[in-house]
């Protein structure tokens, strides 16, 4: 199978911490120092405090386990159609939140719910000065 | 202003399902207009009686309901273009009943029309466009599809409870059997569990025959006060309970297997004051086989994890303990993108005893639950409890 050509992520001011972090090979999450909430997806405020005063980015371990997954056999979207079958998954990070991702370098039959995974980062060719990457995961 | 208690103060007075499954020479609004006429004729009302307009479609965006009002040349007192996905029309019935109860309108028309099939729309496997859209910024880069989202739900259910592909296939087989009794259904040739398992995988563990079909079509529902409905052409269908809910990924911590149906179903059943054993049949949004299993569990018709057994051995077939989708559902009758309106229409026709070969014997209380969006990501749920005129 061909590897996925990920659509280039678009970073709003709310989400650029995540994509910029990935560009440094770091999995970046948000934490609220006021209420201790760790949240993903990133937001401009802590979803519980509805305020940004305690919100900080931090570098997560990049470790987690597969919560669920599917082997996608058909997706007509550009970048994915040629890459089928590919493994799309929810990964529960050791820090708590779950994120959507793909599992790479893994035969479809080798993936299982509950197995440990670790983040890797796919750099993006861009025609601007941004350095973003896509966090993906591989089996440990 | 009605003196009757909500939601019993409102009733469904007319319904119409567009007979076409393929309408390459029609527009969404034309289909909606034809359905409007059908449902108003069914109720014995006219366009002039309508003072509340409700509608949604795959292409109606901001101002869409205003565009629809212009197309129909109506100037209603109440407008509601709520679009929460395929469940929208189930929700519209609730909103219409509330508006009627509050005295804001007296006769509401709920409309849907779609040309999904003739547009060759890839609903389930079209992927997610636009990483620029804040809603899809974290799913587009990972190849999220509608079917993929449901497949992740299915895999988790299988892993946690041992649910099998055979059990999911039983749902598709039952829907096809029902469709064989529905002259309007698109797919009527019987299928077997093996046919489902041998159909190609779309997103594991879901096969082609675990997925709903894509058709054109549309429908309309007329909601008015119970008092008025009693004087109209057809027997009113009583609104006994209603509920709405939303489920999503939260801050990345929600339980994927708990869907909106749990919250909206409980609200609707409590409002109606009924037990599960009172329900004679269920209309369940069947975008995929797993949607039916997830909905029945979350509505409380069986315990979490018991859905596989519940749907097997004719459990949701006509003649079984809880017939589901006697019309053949989205898996076999029609699925023009947003199917919620057909849940209401078939429930009403069954409660009026008009369904011929597919009539549920002694149908007095129905539950209809629509899901909008995807249960493996984020979605809305809307539930109605409907009853016969007794």
């Amino acid at each position: 199978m061909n590897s996925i050509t990920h659509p280039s992520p678009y970073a709003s001011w709310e989400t650029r911490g995540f994509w910029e972090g990935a560009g440094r090979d770091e999995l970046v999450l948000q934490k609220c120092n006021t209420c201790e909430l760790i949240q993903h997806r990133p937001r401009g405020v802590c979803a519980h405090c509805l305020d940004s005063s305690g919100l900080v980015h931090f570098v997560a371990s990049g470790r987690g386990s597969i919560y669920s997954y599917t082997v996608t056999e058909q997706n007509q979207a550009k970048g994915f159609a040629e890459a089928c079958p590919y493994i799309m998954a929810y990964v529960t990070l050791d820090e708590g939140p779950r994120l959507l991702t793909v599992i790479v370098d893994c035969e479809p039959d080798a993936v299982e719910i509950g197995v440990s995974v670790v983040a890797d980062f796919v750099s993006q060719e861009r025609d601007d000065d941004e350095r973003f990457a896509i966090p993906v995961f591989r089996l440990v | 202003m009605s003196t009757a208690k909500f939601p019993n103060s409102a009733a469904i007075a007319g319904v119409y399902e567009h007979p076409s499954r393929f309408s390459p020479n029609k527009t969404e609004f034309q289909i909606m207009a034809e359905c409007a006429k059908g449902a108003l004729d069914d109720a014995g009302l006219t366009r002039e009686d309508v003072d509340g307009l409700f509608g949604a479609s795959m292409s109606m965006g901001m101002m869409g309901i205003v565009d629809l009002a212009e197309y129909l040349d109506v100037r209603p007192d109440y407008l509601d273009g709520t679009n929460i996905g395929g469940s929208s029309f189930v929700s519209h019935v609730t909103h219409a009943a509330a508006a009627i109860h509050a005295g804001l309108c007296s006769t509401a028309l709920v409309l849907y029309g779609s040309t999904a099939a003739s547009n060759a729309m890839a609903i389930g496997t079209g992927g997610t466009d636009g990483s620029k859209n804040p809603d899809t910024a974290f799913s587009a880069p990972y190849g999220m599809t509608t079917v993929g989202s449901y497949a992740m739900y299915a895999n988790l259910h299988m892993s946690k409870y041992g649910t099998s592909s055979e059990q999911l296939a039983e749902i598709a087989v039952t829907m096809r059997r029902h469709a064989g009794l529905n002259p309007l259904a698109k797919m009527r040739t019987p299928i077997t569990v093996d046919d489902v398992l041998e159909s190609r995988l779309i997103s594991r563990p879901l096969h082609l025959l675990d997925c709903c079909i894509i058709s054109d079509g549309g429908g309309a529902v007329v909601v008015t006060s119970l008092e008025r409905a009693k004087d109209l052409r057809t027997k009113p269908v009583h609104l006994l309970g209603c509920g709405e809910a939303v489920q999503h990924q939260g801050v990345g911590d929600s339980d994927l297997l708990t869907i909106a149906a749990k919250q909206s179903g409980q609200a609707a059943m409590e409002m109606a004051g009924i037990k599960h054993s009172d329900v004679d049949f269920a209309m369940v949004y069947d975008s995929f086989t797993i949607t039916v299993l997830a909905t029945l569990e979350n509505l409380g018709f069986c315990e979490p994890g018991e859905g596989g057994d519940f749907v097997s051995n004719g459990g949701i077939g006509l003649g079984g303990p809880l017939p589901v989708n006697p019309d053949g559902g989205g898996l076999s009758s029609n699925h023009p993108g947003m199917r919620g309106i057909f849940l209401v229409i078939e429930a009403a026709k069954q409660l009026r005893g008009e369904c011929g070969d597919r009539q549920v014997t002694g149908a007095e209380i129905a539950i209809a639950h629509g899901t909008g969006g995807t249960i493996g990501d984020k979605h809305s749920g809307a539930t109605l409890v409907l009853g016969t005129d007794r």
Side-chain angles (χ1 to χ4, degrees), chain B residues 157-176:
Chain B
H157 202 279
M158 288 176 163
S159 166
K160 188 167 181 185
Y161 297 118
T163 307
S164 67
S165 288
E166 286 79 2
Q167 288 172 324
L168 293 182
E170 291 254 18
I171 298 169
V173 170
T174 301
M175 292 308 108
R176 186 61 65 88

Side-chain angles (χ1 to χ4, degrees), chain B residues 85-230:
Chain B
S87 58
S88 297
F89 316 95
V90 183
S91 163
H92 289 165
V93 172
T94 297
H95 295 186
I100 290 162
H101 186 83
L104 299 172
C105 63
S106 63
T107 298
L109 190 55
V110 179
L111 297 179
Y112 178 59
S114 163
T115 54
S118 45
N119 293 349
M121 199 178 277
I123 297 170
T125 60
T128 311
D129 280 341
S131 52
K132 271 198 175 185
N133 181 340
D135 292 335
T136 52
F138 285 84
S139 52
Y142 294 114
M144 181 62 117
T145 60
T146 298
V147 57
S149 161
Y150 281 84
M152 288 196 289
Y153 186 105
N155 253 345
L156 184 58
H157 202 279
M158 288 176 163
S159 166
K160 188 167 181 185
Y161 297 118
T163 307
S164 67
S165 288
E166 286 79 2
Q167 288 172 324
L168 293 182
E170 291 254 18
I171 298 169
V173 170
T174 301
M175 292 308 108
R176 186 61 65 88
R177 180 159 69 78
H178 291 173
L181 303 170
N182 177 3
L184 294 181
K186 182 167 177 174
M187 308 292 278
R188 303 185 63 205
T189 310
I191 52 171
T192 64
V193 166
D194 284 344
D195 290 335
V196 180
L197 301 183
E198 286 163 16
S199 65
R200 77 172 192 277
L201 283 159
I202 305 295
S203 198
R204 297 188 209 179
L206 300 179
H207 304 77
L208 179 68
L209 293 178
D210 284 300
C211 305
C212 64
I213 58 174
I214 297 176
S215 69
D216 294 340
V221 174
V222 176
V223 185
T224 189
S225 68
L226 177 60
E227 205 179 329
R228 181 156 201 221
K230 282 181 185 294

Side-chain angles (χ1 to χ4, degrees), chain B residues 170-172 174-175 177-178 292 296 307 310-326:
Chain B
E170 291 254 18
I171 298 169
T174 301
M175 292 308 108
R177 180 159 69 78
H178 291 173
V292 176
L296 292 172
F310 190 87
V311 300
S312 300
N313 305 312
I316 58 169
L318 282 163
L322 183 73
V324 172
N325 300 348

